[in-house]
Amino acid sequence: MSLFARAASFAAVTLCAGLLLGTTTPGFAQEVPSAHVSTLNALALPQVPMTPTAPDSEATQTKIQPAVVQTVQSLPQSAPAVADDQDDDDYDTLADAVADQSGALDDAEMRCLAAGVFFESKGEPLAGQLAVAKTIINRTKSGRFPKSICAVLTQAGQFSFVRGGTVPTAEGRAGWQTAVAVAKVAARDLWEGTADNALYFHARRVAPSWRATKIAAIGNHVFYR
């Protein structure tokens, strides 16, 4: 290398070293106003709108709680509730059931049933009166006779106390209130008798040649199925 080239290289190295020292030494650093720096940063960075977030929002406060399994002991089974009227229809005797019925009537069918009991079995034991009432009711359900009590009584040739197809009244006569009470006991099925499935009956003083099955004899009547 020539002397001239060496001198040029040395000058270049010296100049570069001086520039480096000027930029790194605090005494040579240029002070740039802060306003200008903010402006430059604003221009250099993209502007993204900021959405305010509530510091106590549900998103930041939500925490996953560990599952808690509670052991519930089975409670002792209590006794079933007993209705207050459970024993309303339980009677010790037929007489108790009859005595518990009111004498009021507001139904034509019940009036006919009470008339049948009265005219066919007044003065009979309560069991005999009940059997008469049950026989009349059974006929309405059998399919062999009319479906209403009044029609069963007024059927031709069946009950001798019926005249002209009309059921007579016995209201106000002795024994009527008992007949009403017995009719209600039978209609409500409040007492089981020995002739509950009877369809026919006759007085003991007669002996019809029936082929029906005899099921009971109560008071002055014999009952058949």
Side-chain angles (χ1 to χ4, degrees):
M1 181 181 294
S2 63
L3 180 62
F4 178 79
R6 291 180 179 178
S9 298
F10 179 80
V13 170
T14 303
L15 178 61
C16 291
L19 290 175
L20 291 174
L21 291 174
T23 57
T24 58
T25 304
F28 291 95
Q30 296 184 0
E31 184 176 355
V32 180
S34 60
H36 293 170
V37 173
S38 300
T39 302
L40 290 174
N41 290 338
L43 293 175
L45 298 175
Q47 300 298 306
V48 180
M50 301 297 294
T51 302
T53 303
D56 296 330
S57 64
E58 295 181 0
T60 59
Q61 296 298 321
T62 302
K63 296 181 180 180
I64 299 177
Q65 299 295 334
V68 178
V69 179
Q70 295 181 351
T71 303
V72 181
Q73 296 181 351
S74 59
L75 298 177
Q77 297 295 327
S78 58
V82 178
D84 293 338
D85 59 350
Q86 178 180 356
D87 296 330
D88 283 358
D89 295 343
D90 293 341
Y91 301 100
D92 294 332
T93 65
L94 175 56
D96 290 340
V98 171
D100 196 42
Q101 310 307 311
S102 69
L105 280 176
D106 56 3
D107 181 84
E109 288 287 279
M110 287 300 298
R111 194 177 301 277
C112 284
L113 183 58
V117 172
F118 179 85
F119 288 108
E120 288 292 339
S121 59
K122 64 179 178 179
E124 290 286 309
L126 292 177
Q129 295 187 49
L130 180 66
V132 168
K134 287 290 186 71
T135 300
I136 296 171
I137 294 172
N138 289 342
R139 286 194 173 193
T140 66
K141 301 175 181 179
S142 69
R144 308 179 198 176
F145 300 92
K147 296 182 179 181
S148 74
I149 292 174
C150 294
V152 164
L153 293 180
T154 57
Q155 187 178 12
Q158 296 300 311
F159 293 89
S160 59
F161 71 89
V162 176
R163 296 287 188 272
T166 301
V167 177
T169 181
E171 294 186 43
R173 297 172 59 176
W176 171 250
Q177 293 299 321
T178 299
V180 170
V182 170
K184 290 184 176 182
V185 170
R188 296 169 183 172
D189 201 19
L190 300 180
W191 190 263
E192 292 184 4
T194 57
D196 282 356
N197 60 346
L199 285 175
Y200 310 92
F201 64 86
H202 65 76
R204 287 180 182 269
R205 65 178 182 271
V206 300
S209 56
W210 291 351
R211 294 182 180 179
T213 302
K214 178 180 176 180
I215 59 175
I218 308 172
N220 292 328
H221 291 89
V222 182
F223 298 84
Y224 297 82
R225 177 66 182 175

